[in-house]
């Protein structure tokens, strides 16, 4: 009898053990891991579409064990607040512009703000996907942040309520910038007065004359309706706007390993999608802006663009102590590998 009871207990124990994974899975599906993904731009921008693609892939591939809540247009936090919110665990994922990491003490990221640092999209790709870009992401970890990917937005244009064709045209203009010492130096080199302002406040500031002009990608101009409150835009491609998709390190490290692996794959595929559509979105936005008839679009000649470049190249040397001379030279090296010279 004693042996029989032992056998029965063993059988019950084994049956319960076999059932545990199914129970755990059911509980996880019923109570999914929630990822709040906050960003400051419109849903129909490259970043907005990228966030939605990640949501779709993450939820499908985890079978509902992960739920991604996307909050666009600064619904949760303005761009000055979001990184701190991530560090505190109030949100789990962001895609802030690369300028945002300078104030955290990782000033190397500000190299992406240097005017005319990237002579082509191919050079940019070599930097972000190569040792330079990946080493930068690693530097976020001591700040409680894991860098997951670089998302492209595109090259920036200038706008104001006067034509901006020559460097002298900037003199005295109040130009909105995001918070970046590099961008401050850029505007001063042009003779303009830099005005740091949250992205969500730009339209009203332009409308009321608090600032005279700004810089951004065509897709951001179009989706934020900036072209409605600016008379002139110059296709200058003088600078770059990109994002780093980041997550809270404690949250990320605490995920079940299988979930984390699935999310890494979803992010990789969402990144390919986002970066593939960025140029297409900007080209289409520029066509829409021109067709609107609300703003005069100027395209610089090669000679005019070179004059802008010569006026702004000193910013590289001026800011070398901030972002690191080695970082700048590493990007020059990638440019040279593709036949470009600074």
């Amino acid at each position: 009898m004693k042996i029989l009871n032992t056998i029965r207990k063993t059988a019950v124990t084994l049956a319960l053990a076999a059932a545990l994974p199914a129970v755990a899975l059911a509980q996880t599906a019923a109570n999914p891991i929630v990822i709040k993904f906050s960003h400051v731009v419109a849903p129909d921008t490259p970043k907005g579409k990228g966030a939605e693609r990640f949501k779709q892939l993450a939820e499908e591939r985890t079978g509902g064990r992960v739920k991604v809540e996307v909050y666009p247009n600064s619904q949760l936090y303005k761009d000055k607040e979001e990184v701190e919110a991530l560090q505190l665990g109030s949100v789990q994922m962001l895609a802030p512009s690369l300028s945002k990491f300078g104030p955290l003490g990782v000033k190397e990221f500000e190299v992406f703000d240097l005017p005319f640092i990237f002579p082509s999209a191919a050079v940019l790709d070599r930097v972000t996907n190569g040792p330079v870009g990946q080493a930068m992401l690693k530097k976020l970890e001591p700040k409680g942040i894991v860098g997951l990917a670089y998302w492209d937005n595109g090259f920036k244009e200038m706008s104001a309520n006067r034509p901006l064709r020559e460097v002298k045209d900037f003199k005295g203009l109040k130009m909105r910038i995001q918070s970046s010492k590099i961008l401050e130096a850029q505007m001063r080199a042009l003779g303009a007065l830099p005005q740091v302002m949250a992205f969500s406040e730009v339209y009203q500031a332009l409308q009321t004359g608090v600032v005279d002009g700004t810089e951004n990608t065509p897709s951001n101009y179009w989706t934020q309706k900036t072209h409605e409150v600016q008379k002139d835009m110059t296709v200058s491609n003088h600078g770059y706007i990109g994002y780093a998709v980041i997550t809270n390190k404690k949250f990320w490290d605490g995920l079940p390993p299988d979930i984390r692996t699935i999310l890494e794959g979803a992010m990789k595929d969402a990144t390919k999608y986002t970066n593939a559509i960025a140029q297409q979105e900007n080209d289409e936005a520029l066509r829409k802006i021109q067709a609107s008839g609300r703003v005069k679009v100027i395209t610089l000649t090669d000679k005019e663009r070179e004059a802008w470049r010569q006026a702004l190249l000193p910013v590289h040397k001026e800011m070398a102590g901030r972002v690191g001379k080695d970082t700048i030279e590493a990007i020059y090296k990638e440019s040279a590998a593709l036949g470009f010279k600074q």
Side-chain angles (χ1 to χ4, degrees), residues 254-276:
L255 289 172
D258 63 322
I259 291 289
R260 188 165 56 244
T261 298
I262 293 170
L263 293 180
E264 286 170 346
M267 180 57 65
K268 182 178 180 180
D269 290 344
T271 298
K272 289 179 181 177
Y273 164 80
T274 305
N275 293 347

Side-chain angles (χ1 to χ4, degrees), residues 26-59:
Q27 289 175 336
T28 304
N31 300 288
I33 297 166
V34 175
I35 296 176
K36 291 183 179 179
F37 192 150
S38 173
H39 65 82
V40 302
V41 299
D44 52 346
T45 58
K47 177 161 63 173
K49 291 182 177 181
E52 291 295 335
R53 177 58 64 94
F54 173 73
K55 169 184 169 67
Q56 174 197 349
L57 295 176
E59 293 179 350

Side-chain angles (χ1 to χ4, degrees), residues 159-161 206 212-214 226-232 294-295:
S159 69
N161 288 321
L206 290 167
D212 301 307
T214 187
T226 310
H227 65 286
E228 295 180 354
V229 287
Q230 294 278 261
K231 294 179 180 178
D232 298 273
R294 311 266 315 243
V295 59

Side-chain angles (χ1 to χ4, degrees), residues 233-339:
M233 175 188 287
T234 301
V235 179
S236 52
N237 295 329
H238 63 281
Y240 170 73
I241 294 183
Y243 312 110
V245 186
I246 58 175
T247 186
N248 178 285
K249 189 176 189 303
K250 185 177 180 181
F251 165 78
W252 191 251
D253 290 346
L255 289 172
D258 63 322
I259 291 289
R260 188 165 56 244
T261 298
I262 293 170
L263 293 180
E264 286 170 346
M267 180 57 65
K268 182 178 180 180
D269 290 344
T271 298
K272 289 179 181 177
Y273 164 80
T274 305
N275 293 347
I277 67 169
Q279 188 59 54
Q280 176 185 334
E281 294 283 323
N282 281 314
D283 290 344
E284 180 60 25
L286 187 58
R287 283 193 290 269
K288 289 178 179 177
I289 290 169
Q290 290 174 312
S292 74
R294 311 266 315 243
V295 59
K296 180 181 178 182
V297 178
I298 298 168
T299 300
L300 296 177
T301 66
D302 291 344
K303 183 177 180 180
E304 289 168 338
R305 190 168 187 273
E306 180 60 19
W308 284 39
R309 196 177 80 90
Q310 290 300 326
L312 290 169
L313 279 180
V315 177
H316 293 203
K317 186 175 182 180
E318 179 186 348
M319 290 290 137
R322 183 174 179 84
V323 304
K325 184 179 179 181
D326 291 347
T327 304
I328 294 174
E329 289 183 348
I331 295 177
Y332 286 172
K333 185 177 179 180
E334 298 293 354
S335 297
L338 293 181

Side-chain angles (χ1 to χ4, degrees), residues 92-316:
Q92 289 71 48
M93 199 168 285
L94 304 172
S97 66
L98 299 168
S99 302
K100 299 297 187 299
F101 302 116
L104 282 180
V106 191
K107 296 176 182 177
E108 292 90 340
F109 277 97
E110 292 185 356
V111 75
F112 288 95
D113 287 337
L114 285 173
F116 295 106
I117 188 71
F118 299 109
S120 74
V123 173
L124 173 67
D125 185 67
R126 282 179 66 98
V127 170
T128 54
N129 290 315
V132 178
Q134 296 309 305
M136 288 188 195
L137 291 181
K138 284 290 184 183
K139 292 190 176 192
L140 294 173
E141 294 190 10
K143 310 295 181 181
I145 295 169
V146 173
L148 299 175
Y150 286 99
W151 281 6
D152 193 17
N153 187 337
F155 290 95
K156 296 182 288 186
E157 326 301 356
M158 291 282 195
S159 69
N161 288 321
R162 72 164 74 150
L164 301 174
R165 189 177 288 278
E166 299 181 61
V167 172
K168 66 181 182 181
D169 297 330
F170 285 89
K171 189 171 179 60
L173 289 180
K174 293 175 291 182
M175 297 292 288
R176 180 267 169 179
I177 58 168
Q178 58 182 323
S179 182
S180 165
K181 295 298 182 183
I182 308 292
L183 297 181
E184 287 181 23
Q186 169 192 278
M187 290 303 182
R188 290 197 181 99
L190 293 170
L193 306 172
Q195 308 289 312
V196 176
M197 184 176 294
F199 184 68
S200 57
E201 299 170 4
V202 176
Y203 182 93
Q204 186 176 6
L206 290 167
Q207 187 179 44
T208 57
V210 172
V211 293
D212 301 307
T214 187
E215 60 172 6
N216 224 309
T217 60
S219 63
N220 279 348
Y221 273 113
W222 177 254
T223 55
Q224 297 296 315
K225 303 184 187 300
T226 310
H227 65 286
E228 295 180 354
V229 287
Q230 294 278 261
K231 294 179 180 178
D232 298 273
M233 175 188 287
T234 301
V235 179
S236 52
N237 295 329
H238 63 281
Y240 170 73
I241 294 183
Y243 312 110
V245 186
I246 58 175
T247 186
N248 178 285
K249 189 176 189 303
K250 185 177 180 181
F251 165 78
W252 191 251
D253 290 346
L255 289 172
D258 63 322
I259 291 289
R260 188 165 56 244
T261 298
I262 293 170
L263 293 180
E264 286 170 346
M267 180 57 65
K268 182 178 180 180
D269 290 344
T271 298
K272 289 179 181 177
Y273 164 80
T274 305
N275 293 347
I277 67 169
Q279 188 59 54
Q280 176 185 334
E281 294 283 323
N282 281 314
D283 290 344
E284 180 60 25
L286 187 58
R287 283 193 290 269
K288 289 178 179 177
I289 290 169
Q290 290 174 312
S292 74
R294 311 266 315 243
V295 59
K296 180 181 178 182
V297 178
I298 298 168
T299 300
L300 296 177
T301 66
D302 291 344
K303 183 177 180 180
E304 289 168 338
R305 190 168 187 273
E306 180 60 19
W308 284 39
R309 196 177 80 90
Q310 290 300 326
L312 290 169
L313 279 180
V315 177
H316 293 203

